[in-house]
Amino acid sequence: MKDPVLLAEIHRGKHIESLHYGHALLYGASGLLQSWGDENFRCFTRSLIKIIQAKVCLDLIDQDLSIEELAIIGSSHRAQDIHLHAIEKLIKRFDLNPDLLQCGFHPHKQDSQLKHYCSAKHLIMLATCKQYNWDQENYLDIKHPLQVKITEELRRLNPEFQNIHEKDGCSLPSFYMSIQDMAKIFFNILGQSRYQKLIQAANSFPELIAAAGNFDTELMKAYPQRFYAKGGAEGLLLMIHLERQEVLIVKVLDGSDRPKNLIKDRFLDELKWRGEYHLS
């Protein structure tokens, strides 16, 4: 295993307060373009794969959702009013019973499972199960027909996919793989119409993907339709330059979210991804 590299340092005044190490890689049409640390470092996919889980559900449901609904089902939302409004639209569209949710409660928002970061993803899964008369009580199980479809999609995107998984924070399967295998998966979503709709929706409503201040929301707000970005728990970052068709995956080893905006800015500069745009 290659040693991790310094990804970001946080200062207080003129003094270094924290150092954040990890691994990163850039992937494109010709394969691995550049790496920082170990491109074969393995970790869990966490929320990076929400766009894939959403796409599988949309393929099965096969009906047109609003742009807001498309954005929220791929989100790690923060239960703000704009998030909860989009979620309510989803519930009404499919006449869903929120009591069937199994995402659990966010530690700081114990009054409703709808306020969990992952609730919209769970709702679109329940909508899919309802349409196909699949069991809505065990939709989390890796052997459930919906989860089988999701693992098939991951294998379609990367034939080397191995179904090694554990429970995510919301109890759905989270898959364990190298960051290079993750990059291959996300490179292969490019140019596919259903994924393109989800990417366009995220860019149209970046505040629904997370919230102001989060690196993914801020990146897509600053560079409309130029990037797709998604954060994951335990220090995961996904940034896709849509015009160059290049995928950047970053894993912060200490699992911290704190350096994500610094890391975003570092790679925008290092990869010369800013172009004629400027972050505010």
Side-chain angles (χ1 to χ4, degrees):
M1 179 184 293
K2 299 177 186 176
D3 291 336
V5 299
L6 179 63
L7 294 171
E9 55 184 57
I10 293 176
H11 294 80
R12 190 170 298 275
K14 297 179 180 179
H15 306 285
I16 294 175
E17 183 164 59
S18 301
L19 300 175
H20 297 275
Y21 290 83
H23 306 281
L25 67 86
L26 184 68
Y27 194 90
S30 59
L32 181 65
L33 302 176
Q34 193 171 352
S35 64
W36 299 260
D38 189 355
E39 65 272 13
N40 294 312
F41 182 82
R42 295 166 70 87
C43 59
F44 288 98
T45 51
R46 305 304 297 262
S47 287
L48 297 196
I49 64 165
K50 282 183 175 175
I51 191 172
I52 295 166
Q53 293 162 321
K55 184 265 187 185
V56 170
C57 292
L58 293 175
D59 282 349
L60 291 165
I61 290 171
D62 195 26
Q63 71 170 266
D64 293 330
L65 274 63
S66 70
I67 299 175
E68 294 97 327
E69 289 168 325
L70 289 173
I72 200 69
I73 63 174
S75 75
S76 295
H77 69 80
R78 299 304 193 261
Q80 297 173 352
D81 287 346
I82 57 169
H83 304 130
L84 297 176
H85 175 71
I87 285 168
E88 286 300 326
K89 288 178 64 176
L90 203 62
I91 291 170
K92 289 178 181 177
R93 175 185 291 276
F94 295 106
D95 190 24
L96 298 174
N97 179 3
D99 291 340
L100 295 174
L101 284 171
Q102 295 183 43
C103 53
F105 295 86
H106 189 274
H108 305 298
K109 296 166 183 172
Q110 293 285 327
D111 56 321
S112 172
Q113 289 193 77
L114 293 175
K115 294 182 178 180
H116 191 283
Y117 286 2
C118 301
S119 65
K121 172 177 71 173
H122 284 248
L123 287 169
I124 198 64
M125 289 186 178
L126 287 174
T128 308
C129 293
K130 182 179 179 181
Q131 178 161 322
Y132 282 83
N133 293 316
W134 289 338
D135 192 338
Q136 295 183 57
E137 293 186 359
N138 75 334
Y139 70 94
L140 303 173
D141 194 298
I142 194 68
K143 295 179 182 178
H144 187 280
L146 177 54
Q147 302 308 325
V148 169
K149 293 287 187 183
I150 291 168
T151 57
E152 288 173 352
E153 175 70 0
L154 288 165
R155 187 166 290 109
R156 184 184 74 83
L157 293 168
N158 183 354
E160 297 175 3
F161 168 76
Q162 295 179 332
N163 190 356
I164 303 171
H165 63 276
E166 297 291 344
K167 281 188 178 183
D168 206 338
C170 66
S171 295
L172 279 164
S174 184
F175 301 95
Y176 189 69
M177 64 182 75
S178 72
I179 58 172
Q180 183 164 200
D181 281 338
M182 287 186 207
K184 290 177 185 177
I185 285 170
F186 289 108
F187 178 79
N188 286 328
I189 75 174
L190 297 174
Q192 298 189 33
S193 60
R194 188 82 74 179
Y195 285 115
Q196 192 60 32
K197 286 183 179 179
L198 287 161
I199 288 169
Q200 289 172 348
N203 272 269
S204 297
F205 290 94
E207 295 89 350
L208 291 179
I209 295 302
N214 290 270
F215 94 93
D216 38 14
T217 293
E218 295 300 324
L219 181 62
M220 291 187 287
K221 279 172 61 178
Y223 301 86
Q225 304 299 335
R226 174 166 282 209
F227 291 97
Y228 172 73
K230 184 72 186 73
E234 296 299 321
L236 270 175
L237 298 86
L238 166 67
M239 295 166 58
I240 303 178
H241 194 299
L242 299 172
E243 294 174 2
R244 295 188 187 181
Q245 296 201 320
E246 294 176 350
V247 177
L248 179 75
I249 301 276
V250 183
K251 167 64 177 175
V252 182
L253 281 181
D254 62 15
S256 175
D257 286 335
R258 187 163 59 145
K260 284 182 175 179
N261 274 305
L262 289 174
I263 290 168
K264 171 200 70 184
D265 291 340
R266 169 196 169 159
F267 283 106
L268 284 173
D269 290 335
E270 192 164 331
L271 298 174
K272 296 180 171 57
W273 273 6
R274 292 185 188 271
E276 65 274 24
Y277 298 86
H278 298 281
L279 286 169
S280 58

